[in-house]
Amino acid sequence: MTNQTSPHIISAQHITFRYPDGRLALHDISFDIAPQEKVAIIGANGSGKSTLLLHLNGILRPQNGIIAIDGVPISDKTLQHIRAWVGLVFQNPDDQLFSAYVYDDVAFAPRYLGLSESDVKTRVIHALKMVNMEGYSNRVSHHLSVGEKKRIALATILTTNACILALDEPSAGLDPRARRDLIRLLATFTEQTLLICTHDIRLVADLCTRAIILDEGKLVADGATETIVYDQSLMEQHGLEVP
Amino acid sequence: MITPVLAMHIPDGFLSIPVSVVGWLLFIAILVYALRQTRKQLGEHRIPLMGIMAAFVFAAQMLNFPVAGGTSGHLLGATLVSIFLGPWAMIVVMTCVVGVQAVLFQDGGILALGFNIVNMGVISGLVGYTVYTWLTKILPRTTVSQWVGAGIGAWLSVVVASIATALQLVVSGTSAFDVVLPAMVGVHLLIGIGEALITVATIAFVHQTRPDLLQARADNRGARWIAVGFIIALSLVFVSPWANPNPDGLERVAEDYGFIDTAQDPAYTILPDYTVPFIESDIFTTIVAGIIGVIVVSSLGLGVAYVAKRKPISSDQTPV
Amino acid sequence: MLHLHPTRVSLLHRLDPRVKSVTAFALILGILITPPHTWRAYPLIWTLLACVAVISQLSAWKLGLQAGIALPFTLVAMTLLFTTQGRPIMMIGGLVIPDSGLARFLEIVIKSWLAMQVTLLLTKTTDFTDLLRGLRGLGISETLVATLNVMYRYLFILKDESERLIRARASRSGKSGGYSSGGTLLWRAKITGGMVGNLFLRSYERSERIYMAMVARGYDGRMPYTPLPPLKRRDVVLGLIPIICMAMIQIVVR
Ligand SMILES: Nc1ncnc2c1ncn2[C@@H]1O[C@H](COP(=O)(O)OP(=O)(O)OP(=O)(O)O)[C@@H](O)[C@H]1O
Ligand SMILES: [Mg+2]
């Protein structure tokens, strides 16, 4: 298991990525993230947020540039280790829940790691408790509501002690109370590095210390949350609103 | 981009013209019947349902899991679809899948499309479906029986389809019987295991999530007869050389043409300059004659059945 | 070649899809009935296809490369090299290759390669939905064509969903020192079955929603379709030209 107290840093240098159909989704993006930093990635629809997240654990590989996690560059050799360090929650929870029962979905990662069934059980129960879904282990994933699915999807990455949590639109589709619960939950992850792609600027203001703006695949602003999200002209220029 | 799921999409050039024509005739007869049945059974819902299911099969064929040594388990999907939608809708769905693969992705030929659909849709799906319904009927009514039925059905569906493919290649003179049959069938005995595992796991998933979708569909007796027909036909082909040592007329023709240079009129020869040195040509030609006989008889049978059942023409029965 | 949006507009792109499909079918048939040992035919046929490619503003060279070789089946046909009787002409690794075996093998591969180029020419110059309208115009079952239309509409959407499922699985497939990762074969198959089941249920439920949306807009079992304009004589003549060329090639080489 990874050691949660050891410093893990994300370092992205000159990332350029083009989809196979020719669409340039990321253009020369560079940033470094310190351990335990809480970073928001904001930007209009199609600006490349999800694409960037998929680079963090090597699901997509840049045509140019290097990404290193804790000093380890992503390559075929390191891929699987990096995937144990980086927990990624997808934009659409339906893509992530492919087992019949909630329990099996949450148990996927530790089982893949090769843990014993009793360890797996402890971790699943712990993860479900963290997202306030203790009673759900025997529920059928497919029949859950969107908000419930989103919370289970979050639980699926809390079982491997990942030190980087990358969340794609975690608050989309949640009712106000579920959204407040989510913010409260995310605020408890003080040990982990958090990367959140979102359109929910209030969530950014509440949770994140740093914000990065993407526009048309380019990194156009990077700085402390207060200086970015309250800068009306900057935000509006890139299709965003101040909270 | 899309990995060939099975070594079964025959390209053009690998089937002789007469074999291709027989394939198209068989395919058209079965499809026309299947289209009519789906109209009866599924009504207006059938177009969105079958269209989406065809796209689903196409996408599901991309989902795989690593087995060992760089190989992976895949899904063909005919058995799975027949279990969910019944055999007739399955035939329409697989027609769309295999057809689009041929036209848009050049996976399989155009003239070979008839037999490609018959192999990967009709034979595969009907064999899987028949075995599944039969086993779930004779075994105790439990979920495990359902899995056993689906697993054996899916495995057999791939194996039988590969036998059919191999025989078509042999009859076309594209490969030697004693080479292609063990090779094709050997590979698909293994590929079939992947098919079986995924099919059973999918059935189990749907059983736990939406059990209502697994209710058997009514009135599919015709499907069973076609499948049983194919299985009997294929097994007869294997038995026939040993049962009847005397070559008769049709075999003679094949045998003679086998040795003669056939440049004169190739469209009518079945085996262009082709012989098999390793096995006695008696046996080989009997098998060939057997296959041709089976195909001709089953096409005739289907034709007769179709004409006999013919009802007033509606917009849907324009020939395909 | 996933999304088919022909941007170039050539004579062939504008040709009536009914004519185009029939011509393509006839050309493939023509290629396949070329008699054995008439090697002269193949360069002629290739020239014909290259001309069509040039008229369609496609590179004949690229077309040939894309048509490639249909691998598993080429291996299957390769057995002809060793099992056909004939005059030995060369040895490969101790195996004797007879002339007739080599000839038959080459013929199959060349025919398959040429036929694939015809299919490529058709798909590269025709929008798939137009092709379907053409097939409907040729009298092919309305249900089948409508089903193909729905399939094509959702093909790439479901393909993307399938890709995202694979990504989500890969994301959580981590490794950590000291454990043997990956799970058992059966477990991996079970997970894949779950992914197929997930995709199936989403597809099935989507088909129900589509059906309701269709009914809401007055669907009564018949799919509205914009018929093609009546066949123009010019298109028929244009479509006949390659067929006549092919027929002439077939006559000349015999
Ligand atoms: N699989 C793909 N193939 C081709 N282009 C893609 C693909 N996925 C995304 N794109 C394109 O890449 C660009 C960035 O997409 P991305 O999904 O990263 O945006 P996003 O910032 O997450 O948007 P949203 O806020 O809508 O989620 C978009 O223009 C999109 O159309
Ligand atoms: Mg996104």
Side-chain angles (χ1 to χ4, degrees), chain B residues 237-248:
Chain B
V237 165
F238 285 99
V239 177
S240 60
W242 291 273
N244 170 21
N246 290 322
D248 59 22

Side-chain angles (χ1 to χ4, degrees), chain A residues 1 54 57 59-60 80-81 83-84 88 90 94-98 105 108 111-115 142 156, chain C residues 164-165 167-176 179-182 187 190-191 194-195 198 201-202 205:
Chain A
M1 279 296 66
L54 290 173
N57 66 357
I59 294 284
L60 297 179
Q80 290 218 305
H81 292 281
R83 285 181 183 163
L88 202 71
F90 286 65
D94 279 328
D95 295 331
Q96 207 157 353
L97 305 181
F98 41 65
D105 268 323
F108 177 88
R111 278 182 180 154
Y112 190 93
L113 271 179
L115 301 189
H142 185 75
T156 65
Chain C
R164 284 200 297 273
L165 281 167
R167 281 176 183 172
R169 180 180 60 179
S171 275
R172 282 187 279 155
S173 302
K175 212 183 228 164
S176 189
Y179 299 102
S180 69
S181 65
W187 180 70
K190 183 179 158 211
I191 294 296
M195 292 160 75
N198 169 311
L201 289 184
R202 281 200 273 165
E205 288 170 4

Side-chain angles (χ1 to χ4, degrees), chain A residues 19 21 23 25 43-51 91 169 199, chain C residues 167:
Chain A
Y19 275 103
D21 67 352
R23 166 92 195 175
N45 287 135
S47 54
K49 304 181 296 295
S50 300
T51 309
Q91 192 162 354
E169 316 265 1
H199 295 290
Chain C
R167 281 176 183 172

